[in-house]
Amino acid sequence: MSAEAAPLAVARPTTTSDREGTPAAASRRRTWFWLFTLGWLAQVAVRLWLASGQTMPVATPDEAGYLFAARVLTGGPDADMSYGTVYRGGYPLLLTPAFWLGDDPVTVYRAALVINAMVSAAMLPLAYLLLRGLRVRRRWSYPFAHVTALLPGVLFYSEFVLTDAVLPVVLLGWLLLLHAWLTAPRRDGGGSSRRETLAGLGASLLVAFAYTSHTRGAVLLLAHAGVLAVAVLCRWRPWRGTALTALVLAACVAAGTALNHSLLPHLYPYGDNDLSGNLARRLTTRDGLGWMLSLGTGQIWYQAVATGGIAAVGLVTVAFAAARRGTPGRLRVLALALLAIVAGIAFATSGALPDEYRIGNYVYGRYLACVTPVFFAVGVAVLLRAGRRTLLWAASSAAALTVLTACVVAWYAGDRLHRYTYTRYDFPETSFLTWDWTAFHLWRATWAGLVLLGLAVLAAQLRRHGPALLAGLLAAVALAMTVTAIERIAQPLVRESAAHTDLRGRTDLRDRRSIALDWNVPWTIRLSHFYWAWWSEGSVFNARDTKPPRTADLVVMSWPKNKPPSASWPGGAPPGWSIVDSRRTPEGDWVAWTR
């Protein structure tokens, strides 16, 4: 493959008309300022429109975990999520303004989605900078930056209180800053310029935020530290400036670690589910390594198919640039860092996951969604700039990668792709490609993704209107995926969850200062009750051998089959307690008692 497809190439030299101070340059800056301002507002508006029906967390337990962590950070009550996944405090810290603006759960939730929308829409200017760095013409970088910001991995997850709403922006911002730091020209005397220093510090701050927000940030942290070390060893950057960057990184990571530890007694008083132990066991056994490699491959397959093969084109291009002899050393290091992040996230998250007997264990798109926009943009650059021979080579390599990863999934998962639980939330893109929101179809999704790749290649080959047709095709598919996912996945989940758990019409939850839930009530129901009882301290007990806490004034018990609601309290309820509501739901049956 030629150098024209190499990632993060240097943009064209400045011409006379581009120089600062000229009327043409000032006019151009004003035009682009308004283009990006209005474009960012449009991206925010799209996100708020899609989120108009979202009133409660349905991506449980993740959304609930981040909301409860933010509630604790603003001085709110605890919520017992013991033996569950630990949710870190970086992203909840970003949500704290929502708790200052709202005084009820729905208002707080909607305010959090506004914060998501504002951050997620920043993908537009960042994707534009990336495309310009990849030498895509300015007139096409802007529309394709919009397309990148509309990818379901960016757009769909911004409709939920998840780190996935902001991590794609964080990762791309880190890459751009790290590239600026790594390739900045040396000052006379060997010192660091202000621009170089700010870029390095900014990249370190973003890495520390990612690390404080999610375990995927640990992979980003290792990649960042590796690049810093290589830059010093190769004498690309002065050691003093790099030491300052590393010192700031260490201080911020230490502060983030302290923040995360401070949340543990408030949300996990009896311990968590030990995902790190799962990873250690998988790394030290043959079966565990097979699980990791196979499930990680499934994540790569998902991102290839979900982007119509474009991200796969970007992935093989970055891999080629990393291996190509003529690639400049600094760009090679960045390419290797990106590949390490993909491998690290895919295989580490697969290794930590417990076997939940769901199809999403074997093919899942959310974890790699944070890095997908980068590879998508590289793939777009190849489609727009590469010669016909190079483009065909890249597209055929991407198709081969997609089919190969699908074969690995089919070989390892086998009939579990049909026997195990289908969770519709796990498949927003592939459900659209197969037009089925009730079952997973590996090969149907694979062929659909390859058809989209073929159409993209054909569109790119048209001389006059090819780029416009390509942008329209990719934008239409991305929006259709997200809109159908909202209508067929998100909104039904909200309606069902509210119908199964909302007690606001039966009792004044503001007066209930403490809520206790029976451990035998399914965890999805428990977390929803904690959410609606926003002002209440939340705790869990096992009604089979433990009485409810004496301080509780709202208790939710598991409701046995074929028995009246009054039988839900073992041995009978104490005097003064009465039933306020009882429901039998597909998730589980429960009875709420108050005094």
Side-chain angles (χ1 to χ4, degrees):
M1 188 178 297
S2 63
E4 63 185 356
L8 290 177
V10 180
R12 64 177 177 84
T14 304
T15 62
T16 304
S17 61
D18 292 328
R19 292 173 183 167
E20 294 184 6
T22 65
S27 176
R28 184 176 292 110
R29 284 195 298 270
R30 286 194 298 270
T31 299
W32 283 103
F33 169 80
W34 285 110
L35 273 175
F36 281 109
T37 299
L38 295 176
W40 177 81
L41 290 173
Q43 290 283 346
V44 171
V46 168
R47 285 155 171 76
L48 296 182
W49 168 63
L50 290 171
S52 59
Q54 304 297 104
T55 57
M56 67 173 296
V58 292
T60 50
D62 297 22
E63 282 192 281
Y66 293 121
L67 284 168
F68 298 155
R71 187 172 71 182
V72 169
L73 290 176
T74 54
D78 297 350
D80 191 343
M81 298 181 64
S82 297
Y83 310 115
T85 301
V86 172
Y87 296 98
R88 301 188 175 199
Y91 174 60
L93 197 63
L94 191 66
L95 301 179
T96 51
F99 291 80
W100 303 333
L101 298 173
D103 61 352
D104 68 275
V106 175
T107 302
V108 169
Y109 187 80
R110 289 184 178 277
L113 295 184
V114 172
I115 294 172
N116 278 356
M118 295 172 67
V119 176
S120 177
M123 179 59 69
L124 170 65
L126 295 179
Y128 174 83
L129 291 175
L130 177 59
L131 288 164
R132 289 293 294 141
L134 293 164
R135 294 184 178 176
V136 175
R137 295 174 62 185
R138 183 179 282 112
R139 62 179 296 191
W140 295 120
S141 290
Y142 183 76
F144 279 102
H146 272 288
V147 175
T148 306
L150 293 176
L151 288 174
V154 179
L155 180 57
F156 178 70
Y157 295 124
S158 70
E159 310 306 316
F160 307 90
V161 181
L162 298 169
T163 54
D164 307 85
V166 300
L167 280 183
V169 170
V170 170
L171 193 142
L172 179 50
W174 163 80
L175 178 64
L176 293 171
L177 287 170
L178 189 64
H179 175 262
W181 174 80
L182 194 60
T183 60
R186 296 291 293 268
R187 290 183 59 186
D188 294 337
S192 299
S193 66
R194 173 180 292 183
R195 181 178 180 182
E196 175 191 338
T197 301
L198 291 178
L201 295 180
S204 292
L205 289 174
L206 289 178
V207 168
F209 174 79
Y211 175 81
T212 309
S213 298
H214 197 275
T215 51
R216 280 171 286 177
V219 177
L220 186 61
L221 174 62
L222 292 174
H224 183 72
V227 173
L228 296 186
V230 171
V232 172
L233 291 175
C234 294
R235 298 183 179 180
W236 294 335
R237 296 291 91 189
W239 69 267
R240 290 183 180 178
T242 305
L244 176 61
T245 300
L247 182 63
V248 170
L249 174 66
C252 292
V253 167
T257 301
L259 172 67
N260 290 331
H261 281 303
S262 71
L263 291 171
L264 296 179
H266 297 281
L267 299 176
Y268 311 94
Y270 303 108
D272 57 66
N273 59 359
D274 191 23
L275 293 181
S276 59
N278 290 343
L279 179 59
R281 286 189 293 273
R282 296 256 168 73
L283 285 171
T284 54
T285 63
R286 180 180 298 180
D287 290 343
L289 289 172
W291 167 281
M292 287 177 57
L293 295 175
S294 302
L295 271 63
T297 301
Q299 292 189 41
I300 295 171
W301 170 87
Y302 194 99
Q303 292 306 324
V305 170
T307 57
I310 307 300
V313 172
L315 181 59
V316 298
T317 301
V318 172
F320 183 86
R324 181 174 175 268
R325 180 175 298 179
T327 302
R330 304 182 195 205
L331 295 183
R332 187 193 307 277
V333 167
L334 287 178
L336 289 171
L338 282 174
L339 296 174
I341 289 170
V342 171
I345 291 176
F347 300 126
T349 55
S350 296
L353 278 176
D355 190 348
E356 300 168 311
Y357 302 98
R358 64 186 178 93
I359 299 171
N361 272 141
Y362 300 93
V363 278
Y364 195 52
R366 217 176 96 196
Y367 294 139
L368 282 180
C370 59
V371 71
T372 299
V374 175
F375 292 102
F376 179 84
V378 175
V380 166
V382 172
L383 289 171
L384 295 179
R385 297 190 57 247
R388 179 170 298 180
R389 182 178 178 181
T390 300
L391 176 56
L392 291 177
W393 185 94
S396 60
S397 299
L401 174 66
T402 305
V403 173
L404 179 61
T405 52
C407 289
V408 172
V409 172
W411 165 75
Y412 187 82
D415 64 349
R416 285 173 287 193
L417 295 178
H418 306 289
R419 290 191 295 108
Y420 278 11
T421 301
Y422 176 84
T423 306
R424 52 188 162 171
Y425 186 83
D426 292 346
F427 307 102
E429 297 99 338
T430 57
S431 293
F432 172 81
L433 291 175
T434 61
W435 206 252
D436 190 345
W437 285 264
T438 61
F440 176 74
H441 306 280
L442 175 68
W443 290 109
R444 194 193 301 181
T446 300
W447 304 137
L450 293 180
V451 167
L452 285 176
L453 176 59
L455 293 174
V457 171
L458 289 176
Q461 292 299 295
L462 299 178
R463 291 187 176 181
R464 293 190 60 185
H465 304 294
L469 182 60
L470 177 62
L473 170 67
L474 297 178
V477 171
L479 269 176
M481 285 177 172
T482 302
V483 169
T484 54
I486 293 295
E487 291 180 350
R488 295 180 179 244
I489 299 174
Q491 291 178 358
L493 284 173
V494 170
R495 291 192 295 267
E496 293 165 8
S497 298
H500 297 163
T501 60
D502 190 357
L503 278 171
R504 291 177 299 169
R506 305 303 299 271
T507 185
D508 187 357
L509 292 174
R510 290 177 181 267
D511 293 336
R512 312 301 173 187
R513 307 313 303 174
S514 178
I515 176 174
L517 283 99
D518 180 3
W519 177 262
N520 301 290
V521 175
W523 57 271
T524 52
I525 300 290
R526 294 202 308 267
L527 294 179
S528 294
H529 278 303
F530 282 152
Y531 168 75
W532 293 119
W534 197 249
W535 308 267
S536 307
E537 190 87 11
S539 61
V540 177
F541 69 100
N542 191 337
R544 294 176 180 175
D545 52 27
T546 306
K547 293 182 179 180
R550 293 185 178 182
T551 57
D553 49 16
L554 175 64
V555 173
V556 179
M557 293 283 196
S558 177
W559 185 5
K561 299 291 186 183
N562 303 317
K563 290 188 178 181
S566 57
S568 63
W569 197 302
W577 286 89
S578 61
I579 295 174
V580 67
D581 200 356
S582 60
R583 300 183 196 179
R584 295 199 182 275
T585 75
E587 294 291 333
D589 308 326
W590 55 269
V591 179
W593 297 77
T594 60
R595 62 177 175 180

